Amino acid sequence: MTELSRVEDQVREEIGVRLFTVLAWLPRRRVLRRVYSSHPGQYPVGGEKSVEVAEGWLAQCIEGQRPYLGADRAAVREVFADHRLISALGCGAVINVPVVEEGSTLGALAILDAEGSYDEESVAAAVEAAPLAVPALRAVLREAGEL
């Protein structure tokens, strides 16, 4: 998905990123399906997350359409069951940004780097990048019968 690699390039240039994934939200099944990954060996495309993500995170990012900033390892550990793998990749900070079109959440960007790498300014830049993922996520959701 070349569109999503362009999103990764922009995020890398404007914010900085060590691990970047794009997740499509499949509301009928209440799962997030990975549709793009900078680390396909550890985070393969097609992988799904459901119960591994804290309910509060889903309420904030997917249902509430508000970005999530986990600025340190403790915040990452609190939300993500795969925090050990995240840490092994040298990541201790995360920004998750919902990708929204016409009031519907299509998915989310997952942007991770070393602990302390991100702040509110980083979140604002990530929010600006999120709409670039709309066409690719719309296509994935249409193919999955979710649109």
Side-chain angles (χ1 to χ4, degrees):
M1 294 203 165
T2 57
E3 299 148 337
L4 295 178
S5 65
R6 284 195 290 269
V7 178
E8 179 186 2
D9 290 344
Q10 181 171 331
V11 166
R12 189 170 302 285
E13 184 178 313
E14 294 181 10
I15 304 166
V17 65
R18 195 169 295 196
L19 169 63
F20 178 78
T21 65
V22 179
L23 304 155
W25 173 239
L26 306 176
R28 290 187 190 127
R29 293 181 37 230
R30 292 190 55 82
V31 298
L32 291 158
R33 178 182 298 154
R34 195 174 307 106
V35 297
Y36 181 88
S37 176
S38 65
H39 288 65
Q42 296 92 347
Y43 288 97
V45 168
E48 293 186 350
K49 290 182 171 233
S50 56
V51 294
E52 308 110 62
V53 179
E55 193 63 34
W57 181 92
L58 279 173
Q60 177 176 333
C61 195
I62 299 301
E63 295 161 1
Q65 300 177 337
R66 296 183 317 274
Y68 171 79
L69 170 62
D72 57 31
R73 290 189 194 287
V76 171
R77 218 176 12 256
E78 186 177 302
V79 174
F80 300 102
D82 57 342
H83 61 86
R84 286 186 182 86
L85 177 55
I86 290 169
S87 182
L89 293 172
C91 299
V94 61
I95 300 172
N96 295 119
V97 181
V99 177
V100 178
E101 181 185 50
E102 297 176 4
S104 295
T105 303
L106 304 181
L109 306 182
I111 304 164
L112 296 94
D113 207 339
E115 185 171 37
S117 295
Y118 301 135
D119 57 19
E120 292 301 329
E121 203 171 291
S122 308
V123 173
V127 168
E128 291 293 317
L132 299 173
V134 166
L137 284 173
R138 190 184 321 115
V140 166
L141 293 172
R142 192 172 290 124
E143 186 178 304
E146 293 281 348
L147 284 182

